[in-house]
Amino acid sequence: MTELKKHFAVIGNPIRHSLSPQIHAAFAKEAGLLIDYEAVLSPLDQFKQTVRTLITQKLSGANITLPFKKEAYELASSHSNYAKMAEAVNTFEFKEGEIIGHNTDGIGLVRDLEQNLHVDLNGKKILLIGAGGAAEGVIYSILEKKPNELTLTNRTIEKSNTIQNKMHAYAQSFDVSLNAIEIAKLPHHYFDVIINATSASLNDADLNIVDQVFHKSSLAYDMMYGKETNFLKQAKSQASQTSDGIGMLVEQAAEAFYIWHHIKPHTKTVIDLLRKN
Ligand code: NDP
């Protein structure tokens, strides 16, 4: 019997830079699956229409990237727990007329930190810089690992305060001290893990983080990939270990692949390949 080819897409604007087609093609090849996966540019004001058109073309699933993750949340007819926590969706599963919204960013980050970079988050002091979609998407997954402390900071501190209020009860249930502190008032002591979830590097902007948050035993992680950011340069000058976000990108894709195909792909070879390129 001939295997039916399934169709997938990543939808964003802009989308040309997306590495998702390459990543899913590599996963499918390794799993022996026949799929096609295309990058779809959606006009900024026509995201919902774009999704509906793709559904009529018998798409089995889609990834959603900037700037549509919030709209994707609104469009989904049901949500995974992680999507509910983030109020954002990066993966759609189209099933029996339903649009199921998932968010795999948090799982992607935590797997990269714990499995690829061998950093156990349990009991650690973590600083998360940024309060946009990427930061909000990973907070619940970090809390689940029961760090000692999670401190949120952002250029616009009101956004960190809002997230802190929203996540307060969950932090309590995991026994995590969850704080929101203005960048200028960050404590002059180091964190075990410092995560940059801002897009400041797009304009080579500095975050104005004090050097003291870094230490030679800490890991500085930038969700951005493809260039050495000012954040990573600053961390290196303090002798911290550093990583870009390519592993998170591959791990969040691996979780989406698992949702669609029920197969866990090997991620290391794909991460190595993308880093080499
Ligand atoms: P958003 O636009 O939702 O949020 C942007 C964040 O960056 C806000 O907190 C904003 O602060 C902050 N910011 C922007 N410019 C500056 C600046 N000049 N100085 C200080 N802070 C600034 O973006 P996302 O949260 O969706 O994405 C953030 C980054 O994470 C992007 O670079 C994206 O590529 C990356 N990412 C990586 C993923 C991966 O798999 N590796 C997955 C998802 C995202 P303010 O609130 O003050 O405006």
Side-chain angles (χ1 to χ4, degrees), residues 199-207 227-231 233:
S199 52
S201 338
L202 289 176
N203 307 313
D204 285 326
D206 284 319
L207 292 169
K227 70 179 192 183
E228 188 175 54
T229 62
N230 289 348
F231 168 77
K233 282 183 200 152

Side-chain angles (χ1 to χ4, degrees), residues 65-66 69 90 105 129-136 153-157 159 183 196-203 205-207 221-225 244-250 252:
T65 187
L66 278 173
K69 291 183 187 181
N90 77 340
D105 281 338
I129 311 162
E136 205 170 350
T153 193
N154 188 44
R155 178 176 61 179
T156 312
I157 193 62
K159 288 195 205 165
I183 290 183
N196 179 17
T198 76
S199 52
S201 338
L202 289 176
N203 307 313
D206 284 319
L207 292 169
Y221 189 97
D222 203 320
M223 287 194 190
M224 184 94 179
Y225 46 85
D244 68 7
I246 205 87
M248 172 180 173
L249 178 78
V250 174
Q252 63 77 28

Side-chain angles (χ1 to χ4, degrees), residues 56-233:
T56 62
Q57 293 166 1
K58 304 268 179 280
L59 214 71
S60 299
N63 287 127
I64 317 301
T65 187
L66 278 173
F68 299 123
K69 291 183 187 181
K70 289 277 176 197
E71 263 188 271
Y73 180 80
E74 289 162 18
L75 186 61
S77 43
S78 65
H79 302 92
S80 71
N81 202 30
Y82 291 114
K84 276 187 209 154
M85 291 296 156
E87 293 179 46
V89 158
N90 77 340
T91 303
F92 277 151
E93 199 186 350
F94 302 124
K95 216 165 145 185
E96 292 151 16
E98 251 212 289
I99 304 178
I100 306 168
H102 299 264
N103 192 314
T104 65
D105 281 338
I107 294 175
L109 171 72
V110 167
R111 283 205 189 130
D112 193 34
L113 290 170
E114 295 206 331
Q115 293 175 18
N116 302 328
L117 299 166
H118 310 292
V119 175
D120 183 2
L121 300 180
N122 186 252
K124 297 286 165 54
K125 289 186 196 303
I126 301 174
L127 175 64
L128 180 63
I129 311 162
E136 205 170 350
V138 300
I139 288 174
Y140 187 77
S141 299
I142 295 174
L143 291 175
E144 273 187 325
K145 291 291 163 182
K146 302 189 177 185
N148 175 292
E149 170 192 323
L150 175 59
T151 296
L152 312 176
T153 193
N154 188 44
R155 178 176 61 179
T156 312
I157 193 62
E158 291 76 17
K159 288 195 205 165
S160 302
N161 291 334
T162 305
I163 296 176
Q164 187 212 9
N165 288 334
K166 187 177 121 187
M167 300 307 286
H168 174 75
Y170 300 107
Q172 272 198 326
S173 72
F174 291 120
D175 203 16
V176 181
S177 163
L178 179 66
N179 319 299
I181 302 180
E182 285 175 44
I183 290 183
K185 294 183 183 161
L186 280 175
H188 285 216
H189 68 66
Y190 77 90
F191 290 83
D192 301 299
V193 183
I194 306 105
I195 302 165
N196 179 17
T198 76
S199 52
S201 338
L202 289 176
N203 307 313
D204 285 326
D206 284 319
L207 292 169
N208 300 316
I209 301 290
V210 287
D211 284 342
Q212 285 86 347
V213 303
F214 301 102
H215 183 265
K216 61 178 182 328
S217 67
S218 58
L219 172 75
Y221 189 97
D222 203 320
M223 287 194 190
M224 184 94 179
Y225 46 85
K227 70 179 192 183
E228 188 175 54
T229 62
N230 289 348
F231 168 77
L232 291 185
K233 282 183 200 152

